[in-house]
């Protein structure tokens, strides 16, 4: 019985590791907030100032955009952001260093879980001659804002 459980636990390890989401934040931090406004158009930005950038990443087939967006939302709350914008999503081979400042990712729209985003990512994978041997990471980027203060 104990041996079966151990084999079962070991077999689940790759699934658990594949579902891990990493987050990173660069910018100024403030006291945590309890909610974030999701910015979607340029008019909304007039009342806010950029305080930081963040990204969340996970193994491509084990992590969806909704999960990454949720992690980015929580990351913004923990750094005191009052608003956020999902800037885009990128698919990269595992182990590649990605420059966050390069905006060469698939642009986000109102809903980054749209079918065309997944289709674009599948085209990237199918165009890779080593795709059968390469693991990919899905990376989603966010910009964080706070309301402008009067000076």
């Amino acid at each position: 019985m104990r041996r079966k459980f151990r084999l079962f636990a070991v077999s689940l390890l790759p699934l658990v590791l594949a579902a891990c989401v990493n987050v990173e934040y660069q910018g100024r931090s403030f006291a945590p907030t309890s909610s974030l406004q999701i910015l979607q158009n340029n008019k909304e930005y007039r009342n806010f100032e950029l305080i930081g950038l963040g990204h969340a990443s996970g193994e491509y087939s084990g992590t969806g955009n909704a999960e990454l967006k949720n992690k980015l939302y929580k990351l913004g709350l923990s750094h005191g952001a009052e608003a956020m914008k999902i800037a885009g999503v990128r698919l990269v081979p595992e182990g590649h260093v990605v420059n966050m400042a390069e905006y060469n990712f698939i642009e986000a729209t109102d809903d980054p879980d749209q079918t065309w985003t997944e289709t674009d990512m599948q085209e990237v994978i199918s165009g890779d001659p080593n795709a059968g041997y390469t693991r990919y990471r899905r990376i989603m980027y966010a910009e964080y804002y706070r309301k402008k203060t009067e000076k």
Side-chain angles (χ1 to χ4, degrees):
M1 179 73 161
R2 185 178 241 179
R3 186 164 197 258
K4 286 182 183 180
F5 177 74
R6 198 174 301 165
L7 287 173
F8 177 72
V10 169
S11 68
L12 285 179
L13 187 60
L15 292 174
V16 171
L17 292 177
C20 291
V21 174
N22 300 316
V23 294
E24 186 176 317
Y25 178 83
Q26 297 173 353
R28 298 180 289 156
S29 293
F30 299 86
T33 51
S34 59
S35 67
L36 280 176
Q37 179 180 344
I38 306 298
L39 301 177
Q40 295 182 355
N41 65 51
N42 291 335
K43 291 179 183 177
E44 295 175 310
Y45 293 93
R46 288 185 292 204
N47 301 325
F48 293 93
E49 65 177 326
L50 182 68
I51 63 163
L53 302 172
H55 72 269
S57 66
E59 198 273 326
Y60 173 68
S61 62
T63 308
N65 285 340
E67 182 179 0
L68 295 178
K69 186 175 180 180
N70 185 44
K71 292 286 187 177
L72 288 171
Y73 186 88
K74 290 177 181 178
L75 181 65
L77 293 175
S78 70
H79 287 279
E82 296 173 333
M84 77 177 235
K85 174 192 172 203
I86 299 297
V89 64
R90 178 186 282 165
L91 180 68
V92 297
E94 188 79 50
H96 282 227
V97 176
V98 179
N99 182 352
M100 209 167 126
E102 291 179 17
Y103 272 70
N104 61 344
F105 46 72
I106 298 167
E107 288 291 326
T109 61
D110 292 343
D111 180 7
D113 268 326
Q114 290 185 30
T115 303
W116 66 265
T117 303
E118 295 300 319
T119 302
D120 284 354
M121 289 183 168
Q122 287 298 329
E123 287 175 8
V124 169
I125 293 172
S126 63
D128 182 352
N130 298 314
Y133 309 102
T134 305
R135 291 180 56 178
Y136 289 88
R137 294 194 67 72
R138 181 189 310 251
I139 306 172
M140 184 177 285
Y141 297 88
E143 299 170 350
Y144 296 102
Y145 297 88
R146 282 185 68 87
K147 289 184 180 160
K148 289 181 180 177
T149 55
E150 298 290 325
K151 293 185 179 181

